Amino acid sequence: MFGTLDDLPDDRRVLVRIDVNSPVEDGAVQDNKRFARHAETLAELADAGHPVAVLAHQGRPGRPTFVGLEGHAEILSDHLGREVRYVPDTYGERALEAIRGLDAGEILLLENVRMVDEELADRTPEAHAESALVETLAPEFDAYVNDAYSTAHRAHASIVGFPRVMDSYAGRVMEAEYEANSAIQEREFDGEVTMVLGGTKADDLIYVMERVEHKVDRFLLGGIVGELFLRAAGHDVGYDVEDTEFFDEQWDEGEGTIRELLEEYGDRIKLPRDLAYEDDAGERAEVSLEGVEKETSFLDVGSETVAEYESLVEESEATFVKGALGVFEDERFAEGTVGVLEAIAETDAFSVVGGGDTARAIDLYGLEEEDFSHVSIAGGAYVRALTGESLPAIEALER
């Protein structure tokens, strides 16, 4: 097991890796759950009197979201209620001067670490530990804290390089996310375990289903993956119409596995009984799966499906959610996603809600995070944890 902030000695100069990668609109970074979560770790370190420097990334080179972190420092400052200084440099002279000037309890955000070519280089952890980034920054600190669970599945320099040469610890986000998201692999539940799967990336979810077959009693499907499984079951859905591009390519890639899972799992896979769409008047309309012909996009599961899924969730000892059952951003088509989340919230069962979109629905429709055992802010790392795959960041910390 890795060390946590409970194990961090006093009076340490600390380098912290967080993940506040966020949407960017008109050049401005947008606030989200990640800032609030990481602010708690940073506040704990600063309140304990540690001088703190922070590494983070935003976007990837060549993409519109690849911007500097000045706006991130402002948002973090708002969450913390104290200044988070920003320096437009990662490990050059300006950064080193700012780091050396840190006093107890002060927080400094360094420039976007992905502006350093070495960060994304395809190297071993040993090679990353010998990068200029690590060799320059490591001597300036007494300890490294990785709080960036959302990038725990990446073997990047700032994730796996520093633990090779520094005393290293998991931050509170890393600790909480790993414990909750790994529960499906590591915990034993006395009753039924249910997994709700939706969203647009069917390949990820099909892979999850293959890897957790002995851990999950039933799968409740919606979204793109739900339609693809309905197509395999013989219904006239699960293909692209009206210039959509979600279905056909994923069907071509996953048809064989989908059919195998349907045959192997049988009644353990629960498929939608009805689907919702926008009618000519712009209203929500629903159609039963019996005799359906797809002429327009389906945007949510139907009311009969919601009622069945709610009932199954209420009977469960544990429920794991990955992806939305419909286009919940439009309240006309939020019934599936929100209905299932409300049913989970009303139980005393263990529950993990993962995926950025699904977590957003909790805020958007006034649900309380406290009604769930854990709400994850991770995407790829959440999938890896569900399937029991190793995470490079965890391996580095455990080492």
Side-chain angles (χ1 to χ4, degrees), residues 344-391:
I344 295 170
E346 291 172 2
T347 72
D348 294 325
F350 181 84
S351 59
V352 178
V353 177
D357 284 347
T358 322
R360 269 197 308 120
I362 291 173
D363 288 337
L364 192 59
Y365 290 93
L367 298 166
E368 298 292 335
E369 274 197 32
E370 293 74 18
D371 291 332
F372 304 89
S373 302
H374 183 68
V375 177
S376 177
I377 56 175
Y382 178 49
V383 170
R384 292 277 286 266
L386 288 178
T387 59
E389 283 194 67
S390 62
L391 296 167

Side-chain angles (χ1 to χ4, degrees), residues 219 221 225-226 229-230 233 262 269-273 305 308-309:
F219 301 90
L221 303 189
V225 71
F229 272 78
L230 285 170
L262 271 178
I269 297 178
K270 304 297 181 182
L271 301 177
R273 296 183 176 186
T305 304
E308 180 185 17
Y309 286 5

Side-chain angles (χ1 to χ4, degrees), residues 151-172:
T151 55
H153 58 307
R154 309 290 189 190
H156 294 163
S158 64
I159 300 296
V160 299
F162 290 105
R164 288 267 162 179
V165 296
M166 298 177 67
D167 289 340
S168 299
Y169 307 86
R172 296 307 185 195

